[in-house]
Amino acid sequence: MPASNPVIVCANLQKSFGDLAVLQGIDCQIQRGEVVSIIGSSGCGKSTLLRCFNRLESISGGQLIVNNIDLSKPKLSRRDLLALRANVGMVFQQFNLFPHLSVLENLCLAPLKVLEQSKKESRETARLYLDKVGLSAKADAYPDPLSGGQQHRVAIARALCMKPEVMLFDEPTSALDPELVGEVLEVMQQLAKEGMTMIVVTHEMQFAREVASRVVFLNKVKVEEEGDPRHVLSNPKSERLQAFLSRMNSTLVA
């Protein structure tokens, strides 16, 4: 992956809510095709950082460039904001599917409104990505009767319908029963194999170890440690990361 063409560049990124500093001095670059797992304790700023990447949160200082769009500006033009929304997909913890629309209609909505696709094209695209996540048979179903795993796969397919260059996942399996986690991670693993740039906030250490090309550990508003997951998760240098991984292992054993 060429280091000269990062899809995301953070330089001394800062984010505060009033007097509360949530992120401070974040420096990182994410290359096209990378899968980066962001880990850390609750409240360390993981989800906030993810939301900064698609301007759901504006930064308070420093520089943030995503897909050549400078998000450091106080205001973005409508053109830049639409380009960002089209090229950076996000899958939330709670799926956010419209219950009054069928699965197919949920997938078609953004391509129709944002990309201005025809109804025929949007439906063809939707069916393509439903097939990709193994849910072709659920096109005419409504979200509520679906299992949590199925709803999450629908949410992934919906994001893919925009044909984004980057996918953001915020705790993609945290709301799922344990037996449903595998079907969502399988879809994400396939996306990784296909070269999709992905930033994943997760507590799934096995996913981070096996799929991510890099892991970033946030602690107390800063990056405490980062690197190859096989090294960072097996031989953490930071005492804070050692303690975090110990707690995670204790939770799994319990």
Side-chain angles (χ1 to χ4, degrees), residues 11-12 26-27 31 57 72 77 80 89 91 103 121 123 131 168 170 176 182-183 203 212 215 217 224 252:
N12 193 31
I26 305 293
D27 293 303
Q31 306 296 329
E57 297 286 354
S72 315
S77 68
D80 279 350
V91 180
V103 165
E121 183 182 4
R123 283 178 170 265
D131 182 62
L168 310 176
D170 188 9
L176 299 179
E183 63 187 62
H203 282 105
V215 65
F217 173 59
E224 180 85 18
L252 288 176

Side-chain angles (χ1 to χ4, degrees), residues 227-242:
D228 185 317
R230 291 167 296 178
H231 301 312
V232 171
L233 299 179
S234 299
N235 299 291
K237 298 176 182 177
S238 160
E239 290 184 6
R240 293 187 178 94
L241 180 52
Q242 292 171 17

Side-chain angles (χ1 to χ4, degrees), residues 35 37 185 189 192-193 204-214 228-230 233:
V35 179
S37 287
L185 293 183
Q189 287 175 322
K193 289 177 183 177
E204 292 286 342
M205 294 301 108
Q206 185 174 353
F207 175 85
R209 188 187 302 273
E210 296 178 0
V211 180
S213 47
R214 183 151 50 104
D228 185 317
R230 291 167 296 178
L233 299 179

Side-chain angles (χ1 to χ4, degrees), residues 8-140:
I8 295 177
V9 177
C10 299
N12 193 31
L13 185 151
Q14 300 169 48
K15 174 62 182 178
S16 299
F17 294 107
D19 294 330
L20 177 64
V22 181
L23 298 167
Q24 202 167 56
I26 305 293
D27 293 303
C28 72
Q29 292 191 2
I30 297 174
Q31 306 296 329
R32 296 183 188 278
E34 266 198 297
V35 179
V36 177
S37 287
I38 302 176
I39 64 173
S41 301
S42 297
C44 70
K46 305 185 300 296
S47 294
T48 299
L49 180 59
L50 205 67
R51 290 168 68 87
C52 287
F53 290 159
N54 70 347
R55 196 55 180 247
L56 288 177
E57 297 286 354
S58 57
I59 67 174
S60 304
Q63 188 176 47
L64 174 59
I65 298 174
V66 178
N67 247 18
N68 298 316
I69 298 174
D70 189 354
L71 302 189
S72 315
K73 300 175 182 178
K75 292 186 178 180
L76 286 185
S77 68
R78 176 175 170 77
R79 179 179 180 181
D80 279 350
L81 190 58
L82 287 175
L84 183 71
R85 293 285 187 262
N87 289 317
V88 181
M90 185 162 182
V91 180
F92 299 87
Q93 292 183 40
Q94 300 301 326
F95 324 136
N96 295 339
L97 300 173
F98 293 107
H100 63 289
L101 299 179
S102 70
V103 165
L104 191 68
E105 289 168 337
N106 266 281
L107 269 62
C108 290
L109 191 59
L112 284 169
K113 300 292 185 181
V114 179
L115 301 182
E116 298 182 346
Q117 289 183 354
S118 67
K119 190 173 182 179
K120 179 183 178 183
E121 183 182 4
S122 68
R123 283 178 170 265
E124 288 175 350
T125 302
R127 292 188 184 280
L128 172 70
Y129 286 109
L130 276 178
D131 182 62
K132 190 178 192 67
V133 300
L135 290 174
S136 297
K138 300 296 184 180
D140 297 322

